Amino acid sequence: MNRSLARYLPPLSRLASSAQRRAYVGLPAYAAAFGGMTAQQIDSLLAADWRESGYDYLWFYRRFWREDLSPLALLRWLDLNTDLAEGLLTKVDRTSMAHSLEVRPPLLDHRLVEFMLSVDPDVLVDQRRRRGKLLVRRLMEPRLPPGHLNQPKSGFGLPVHRWLRRHPQVLRDAVRRLRDRGVLGRAVGSEFRRAWSLLVLDRWFTAFG
């Protein structure tokens, strides 16, 4: 159903994006979970000269995809080698060094990581409550204030859409420059959900193009 629906909806619409992601399984589903644009969305944005037939948009994740691992073990392995190494840790390292801070994540000691990768994934998840980090929760519960472990997860996402609502010209200018360069084949509005990707692409071309 989702696959059929995505085929007929405008590829950049919120409904089409949701349908595309729900239709995915395996590696495409994992990549989509991190919020990047789908192959259909990228191709619908790029000008014809910038599209490459058969290009593998998932090559980065595909390098670490392993069919021999159970689903949860595979997720841990992929996260360790992709988003954690190339995303979160890179951002923390650069940001902290820019402010003369020394950050040392203790839970990433290689001995601890190697041990945790050997632990049966079934004992790491509270199946009844559908919550992860079970061992960490049990270890830290007597050491933290009551209710602390029940707080919702808080990430480090940037309020991009709030910024763009206040300063819509920033995205309009970025899209205009990308279209003038012949990179984009269409315009998008300030409500575009993947606006950050276009802003970064514009800055890359400004710096290196």
Side-chain angles (χ1 to χ4, degrees), residues 118-209:
S118 70
V119 174
D120 185 349
D122 291 336
V123 304
L124 300 176
V125 179
D126 185 339
Q127 297 290 351
R128 184 173 61 85
R129 298 184 182 181
R130 300 182 66 82
R131 295 196 309 179
K133 301 182 176 70
L134 183 58
L135 293 181
V136 175
R137 291 177 186 275
R138 290 183 175 175
L139 178 65
M140 299 304 298
E141 189 170 18
R143 296 172 170 82
L144 294 174
H148 188 82
L149 293 174
N150 296 322
Q151 296 297 316
K153 188 174 183 179
S154 178
F156 300 96
L158 298 174
V160 175
H161 292 288
R162 189 171 66 196
W163 292 344
L164 292 179
R165 282 195 297 269
R166 294 177 181 174
H167 308 284
Q169 192 62 37
V170 172
L171 181 61
R172 285 200 292 265
D173 289 344
V175 171
R176 175 183 53 78
R177 286 190 292 266
L178 289 171
R179 296 197 72 186
D180 289 346
R181 292 178 183 274
V183 177
L184 295 187
R186 61 186 299 174
V188 296
S190 58
E191 73 285 352
F192 179 55
R193 297 185 66 199
R194 308 301 170 197
W196 180 252
S197 298
L198 297 185
L199 294 175
V200 172
L201 183 61
D202 173 59
R203 294 308 304 163
W204 187 91
F205 272 106
T206 300
F208 304 107

Side-chain angles (χ1 to χ4, degrees), residues 48-65:
D49 290 343
W50 283 83
R51 297 186 209 126
E52 184 176 340
S53 178
Y55 182 78
D56 183 11
Y57 290 109
L58 302 180
W59 66 267
F60 175 66
Y61 295 112
R62 197 179 304 280
R63 293 182 303 162
F64 302 100
W65 186 263

Side-chain angles (χ1 to χ4, degrees), residues 11 14 21 23 31 48 75 91 98 104 108 126 135 149 166 199:
R14 180 170 298 187
R21 295 175 194 283
L75 290 177
K91 294 174 186 175
R104 296 181 180 274
L108 292 180
D126 185 339
L135 293 181
L149 293 174
R166 294 177 181 174
L199 294 175

Side-chain angles (χ1 to χ4, degrees), residues 50-102:
W50 283 83
R51 297 186 209 126
E52 184 176 340
S53 178
Y55 182 78
D56 183 11
Y57 290 109
L58 302 180
W59 66 267
F60 175 66
Y61 295 112
R62 197 179 304 280
R63 293 182 303 162
F64 302 100
W65 186 263
R66 293 178 52 179
E67 298 288 352
D68 60 311
L69 296 178
S70 65
L72 187 53
L74 176 58
L75 290 177
R76 291 189 298 169
W77 175 255
L78 285 169
D79 193 43
L80 181 66
N81 287 283
T82 59
D83 193 52
L84 186 62
E86 301 289 343
L88 297 178
L89 292 179
T90 301
K91 294 174 186 175
V92 170
D93 187 52
R94 292 177 180 175
T95 305
S96 59
M97 287 195 297
H99 296 277
S100 301
L101 296 175
E102 184 70 29

